Amino acid sequence: MSTYHPLSEAQAIEYARRIPQLFQTGSDLASQEIGDGNLNLVFRITEAATGKSIILKQALPYAKVVGESWPLTLDRARIESEALIIEEGLVPDLVPHVYAYDADLALTVMEDLSDHVIMRRGLIEGNQYPLFAEHIGRFLAKTLFFTSDLGKNQQEKKIQLGRFINPELCKITEDLIFDDPYRDAETNNIEAPIRDAAEQLWADKELHFEVAILRNKFLTQAQALLHGDLHTGSIFIKPDSTKVIDPEFAYYGPMGFDIGAVLANLLLNFAAQEGWSKDEESRSAYRAYLTQTIKDVWTHFEENFRALWNEQGVDRVFTAPGYQDYFMLNLLRDTVGFTGAKMVRRIVGLAHVADIDKIENAAARERAQRMALTIGTACIRANRQVATIDELLAIATRAAERGYVI
């Protein structure tokens, strides 16, 4: 019989008291529910005497963004906690520490990162993070390499893959990213001024062909354990630290999906500078920072990934001359395609991004939306032909120079 129930703040405090070696016996604890996402309750528990704090994250059996009419599995809490533990074993400085997981309550107890900020907010505020590209490049390289057939015992990988079958959350991705934006779906969220651009998406059969190829890869290529939702809202950051959170969408899929998610969100902020930069000079400067960051993310990722392959690869056959270059080129192409798909869904799909939605000036917001769609669709169209990361940057630069096309 299940003992699951959503916690109240008072219950969260009492639960925290029972966790060994975290708080002093009988100390004064306070709770604040801080969850602003779509799927979970998030409590910050703080000890008044010491200031020590932890996070209790509890999965809800439905999507908060819709309500109880959209039920969701509670097993995603297990998937998230196990993914964080695996990631901590590979990059301990880049994820929060997990103190405990409670299967009955679908509850994960983890390190509090309140001294960091959500990266999306930081970018909206115009901040720059000089270590981010190295940090996230290393995160991607190590988590993807060491959970793939390149860097993990291939029989053990098959067993691990079975623990990360995540059908319900994968279904959300399959629908909201690779289906709904390309038809007049009820779940779409389209502002009236760009309705014409959405209708162009629905009618564009050549674009649909490329999306079908990307969707098939998402459905069938179990290359590595993905975070599954690696946007700038899933990254806590400060100038000297980066922490990746919220891997509840984790599953075995195509590596380029995670890398593309990071790049897409940087490009969404690139487009959003239509509304956030105070003048053309500052807009150009911040966009130059973002494009350089994108290039540096890929460069750090590729350098780390190739080094791991050369030094710790587990499969002799994959050392065949030329195979590594072939693999990396195809991974870059996948990354560009998934970058585009992630951008398009954030403009016409169910869940948008604050970078663009919070632009108060309607004309600037529309320009940002259309620019994002222009970049996103161009990435989707070009993905199977690109040869360098510079070609992705050129797509963004052309869109900025021309304003927008769609």
Side-chain angles (χ1 to χ4, degrees):
M1 182 176 178
S2 174
T3 58
Y4 175 86
H5 59 278
L7 295 179
S8 66
E9 290 194 343
Q11 290 170 327
I13 289 173
E14 291 309 308
Y15 189 95
R17 289 190 189 282
R18 299 195 299 270
I19 301 172
Q21 299 179 332
L22 277 179
F23 297 117
Q24 300 173 11
T25 302
S27 63
D28 183 21
L29 301 182
S31 173
Q32 181 183 12
E33 207 286 306
I34 59 172
D36 61 357
N38 296 325
L39 305 177
N40 308 286
L41 295 173
V42 181
F43 301 95
R44 177 184 291 130
I45 309 297
T46 305
E47 186 174 46
T50 64
K52 184 176 183 179
S53 59
I54 59 169
I55 294 295
L56 272 62
K57 180 176 179 181
Q58 184 179 36
L60 291 170
Y62 55 84
K64 282 169 64 178
V65 69
V66 176
E68 295 185 17
S69 63
W70 189 341
L72 287 174
T73 177
L74 294 174
D75 189 53
R76 70 184 192 275
R78 175 194 62 81
I79 287 174
E80 176 175 10
S81 66
E82 291 188 8
L84 281 171
I85 291 167
I86 289 170
E87 291 165 358
E88 185 176 11
L90 298 171
V91 282
D93 60 320
L94 299 177
V95 295
H97 176 64
V98 174
Y99 294 105
Y101 166 67
D102 187 321
D104 290 335
L105 289 174
L107 180 71
T108 304
V109 183
M110 68 186 82
E111 178 185 0
D112 182 19
L113 300 173
S114 56
D115 59 334
H116 294 59
V117 300
I118 290 292
M119 188 175 184
R120 189 180 305 287
R121 173 185 164 189
L123 294 179
I124 289 172
E125 293 174 352
N127 297 320
Q128 297 189 20
Y129 301 101
L131 299 182
F132 169 71
E134 186 278 322
H135 287 170
I136 203 68
R138 178 161 52 88
F139 173 89
L140 289 163
K142 286 198 168 185
T143 59
L144 296 177
F145 180 81
F146 284 115
T147 60
S148 77
D149 291 307
L150 300 170
K152 185 175 182 60
N153 176 281
Q154 292 157 350
Q155 283 62 52
E156 291 178 2
K157 180 212 163 186
K158 292 176 175 64
I159 294 170
Q160 188 180 79
L161 189 156
R163 294 195 59 77
F164 287 93
I165 299 297
N166 198 351
E168 289 192 350
L169 269 65
C170 282
K171 175 65 172 171
I172 292 174
T173 301
E174 292 154 16
D175 290 347
L176 299 189
I177 298 179
F178 300 109
D179 186 359
D180 294 351
Y182 306 98
R183 64 188 181 95
D184 190 7
E186 290 184 4
T187 55
N188 287 339
N189 179 9
I190 303 164
E191 292 196 5
I194 63 163
R195 176 82 184 184
D196 64 306
E199 291 174 351
Q200 287 184 46
L201 289 175
W202 304 338
D204 192 334
K205 302 306 180 186
E206 291 182 0
L207 188 70
H208 296 178
F209 176 82
E210 297 296 337
V211 172
I213 293 173
L214 293 168
R215 177 180 170 89
N216 183 62
K217 289 176 179 178
F218 185 86
L219 288 168
T220 63
Q221 290 190 357
Q223 288 182 319
L225 180 60
L226 306 186
H227 176 283
D229 197 27
L230 192 52
H231 52 75
T232 50
S234 295
I235 298 169
F236 270 114
I237 198 162
K238 57 182 181 175
D240 61 347
S241 176
T242 304
K243 300 281 189 178
V244 175
I245 63 169
D246 291 352
E248 60 193 324
F249 280 75
Y251 93 114
Y252 266 80
M255 296 180 185
F257 186 79
D258 263 8
I259 310 167
V262 175
L263 304 191
N265 279 265
L266 295 173
L267 286 170
L268 286 163
N269 189 268
F270 177 99
Q273 293 309 308
E274 291 295 306
W276 295 112
S277 295
K278 64 181 183 295
D279 53 45
E280 188 56 42
E281 183 179 358
S282 62
R283 182 176 299 115
S284 295
Y286 201 70
R287 282 177 171 163
Y289 157 71
L290 290 168
T291 53
Q292 186 62 49
T293 299
I294 290 167
K295 184 170 184 175
D296 291 346
V297 168
W298 175 260
T299 299
H300 282 291
F301 164 75
E302 183 176 18
E303 289 176 351
N304 278 274
F305 196 88
R306 285 182 182 270
L308 292 169
W309 191 330
N310 293 334
E311 296 163 9
Q312 301 188 55
V314 299
D315 194 309
R316 181 194 62 81
V317 176
F318 292 154
T319 65
Y323 180 70
Q324 187 180 109
D325 290 340
Y326 166 85
F327 183 97
M328 296 306 295
L329 175 60
N330 281 284
L331 178 51
L332 172 65
R333 290 173 170 174
D334 287 354
T335 295
V336 172
F338 288 125
T339 295
K342 294 285 280 185
M343 292 185 73
V344 169
R345 65 78 50 115
R346 291 294 192 177
I347 304 302
V348 299
L350 174 65
H352 293 186
V353 291
D355 311 54
I356 292 177
D357 272 17
K358 288 188 178 296
I359 296 173
E360 293 183 358
N361 182 282
R365 187 170 64 253
E366 181 183 348
R367 290 197 303 273
Q369 291 167 331
R370 290 181 181 272
M371 186 179 296
L373 287 176
T374 298
I375 297 170
T377 54
C379 287
I380 293 171
R381 295 183 203 283
N383 80 95
R384 291 187 296 131
Q385 286 79 45
V386 298
T388 70
I389 192 64
D390 290 325
E391 293 176 57
L392 170 61
L393 304 182
I395 290 171
T397 301
R398 284 195 300 269
E401 290 173 348
R402 298 163 65 183
Y404 54 82
V405 178
I406 290 180

